[in-house]
Amino acid sequence: MSAKRARFGMKLFILSESQSGYIQNIILYTGKDTNYGSNYPQEKQSTRIVLELTHDLLNKGYRIYLDNFYMSIHLAELLCQNNTDTVGIMWINIVGIPSEIKTKKLQKNEHIVRFKDKLIVLKWKDKNDVLLLSSIHNYEKTMIEKGKKARNTECCPGL
């Protein structure tokens, strides 16, 4: 990006442990020719990055938290097949999201939930629409009430 003040630097993809912050795995981006590994050549780049970073942790029962740049229903299904749970926020235009989740207009504190096997897709309205995908939570434990006064009580995900 030519408009950025610091146009030069290093881009890293990092898998770190949440409590200590220690780095588990790292991929250094070296441009178009970056080798993201050969274990998952059929996957798209963002999915391949996550699968390569977590390759040694698959089938060990770990939980992985992802941001919206990497989270997809396809990736969550692949991780579930490999005994690895995941939680993350998603974009609304991701392939595989049920159409009623995409089109439903929500008022503040309203939510809509859909399930597919172990996966839960949850959309709720805070200031904006927020979309959550999880293979850890179920509906009863997902939404909690917050607020100190009864009239200010809001419903939000209890992650």
Side-chain angles (χ1 to χ4, degrees), residues 79-106:
L79 291 172
C80 281
Q81 290 169 5
N82 288 295
N83 192 27
T84 305
D85 288 324
T86 187
V87 177
I89 302 296
M90 291 192 310
W91 298 108
I92 195 72
N93 60 351
I94 296 293
V95 174
I97 295 175
S99 59
E100 59 244 49
I101 294 267
K102 287 183 178 183
T103 59
K104 176 83 172 177
K105 302 291 182 201
L106 300 174

Side-chain angles (χ1 to χ4, degrees), residues 10-48:
M10 294 174 57
K11 183 174 184 178
L12 303 171
F13 301 103
I14 297 175
L15 175 67
S16 62
E17 198 273 328
S18 62
Q19 289 181 332
S20 65
Y22 285 120
I23 294 174
Q24 171 74 28
N25 201 349
I26 190 167
I27 296 174
L28 174 63
Y29 178 75
T30 57
K32 287 189 271 183
D33 300 328
T34 301
N35 181 9
Y36 297 108
S38 59
N39 293 321
Y40 309 96
Q42 72 282 6
E43 300 297 339
K44 65 179 189 168
Q45 183 176 338
S46 60
T47 301
R48 195 167 64 233

Side-chain angles (χ1 to χ4, degrees), residues 12-146:
L12 303 171
F13 301 103
I14 297 175
L15 175 67
S16 62
E17 198 273 328
S18 62
Q19 289 181 332
S20 65
Y22 285 120
I23 294 174
Q24 171 74 28
N25 201 349
I26 190 167
I27 296 174
L28 174 63
Y29 178 75
T30 57
K32 287 189 271 183
D33 300 328
T34 301
N35 181 9
Y36 297 108
S38 59
N39 293 321
Y40 309 96
Q42 72 282 6
E43 300 297 339
K44 65 179 189 168
Q45 183 176 338
S46 60
T47 301
R48 195 167 64 233
I49 291 169
V50 173
L51 292 174
E52 286 295 335
L53 286 171
T54 60
H55 183 72
D56 295 335
L57 302 177
L58 297 178
N59 293 310
K60 294 183 180 176
Y62 284 99
R63 291 180 177 177
I64 298 173
Y65 294 84
L66 298 168
D67 68 3
N68 53 5
F69 292 107
Y70 301 98
M71 185 54 111
S72 70
I73 291 178
H74 175 68
L75 175 60
E77 288 173 340
L78 287 174
L79 291 172
C80 281
Q81 290 169 5
N82 288 295
N83 192 27
T84 305
D85 288 324
T86 187
V87 177
I89 302 296
M90 291 192 310
W91 298 108
I92 195 72
N93 60 351
I94 296 293
V95 174
I97 295 175
S99 59
E100 59 244 49
I101 294 267
K102 287 183 178 183
T103 59
K104 176 83 172 177
K105 302 291 182 201
L106 300 174
Q107 301 299 317
K108 184 154 176 78
N109 297 328
E110 284 186 334
H111 60 278
I112 182 171
V113 180
R114 294 295 177 264
F115 299 90
K116 180 181 179 186
D117 300 325
K118 190 177 178 182
L119 298 178
I120 178 175
V121 177
L122 168 70
K123 177 181 172 183
W124 81 95
K125 179 81 167 190
D126 192 26
K127 290 182 181 174
N128 296 312
D129 288 342
V130 181
L131 201 63
L132 174 86
L133 176 65
S134 174
S135 63
I136 300 169
H137 300 91
N138 60 26
Y139 180 69
E140 291 80 27
K141 295 179 183 176
T142 302
M143 298 303 286
I144 62 169
E145 291 184 359
K146 69 174 188 173

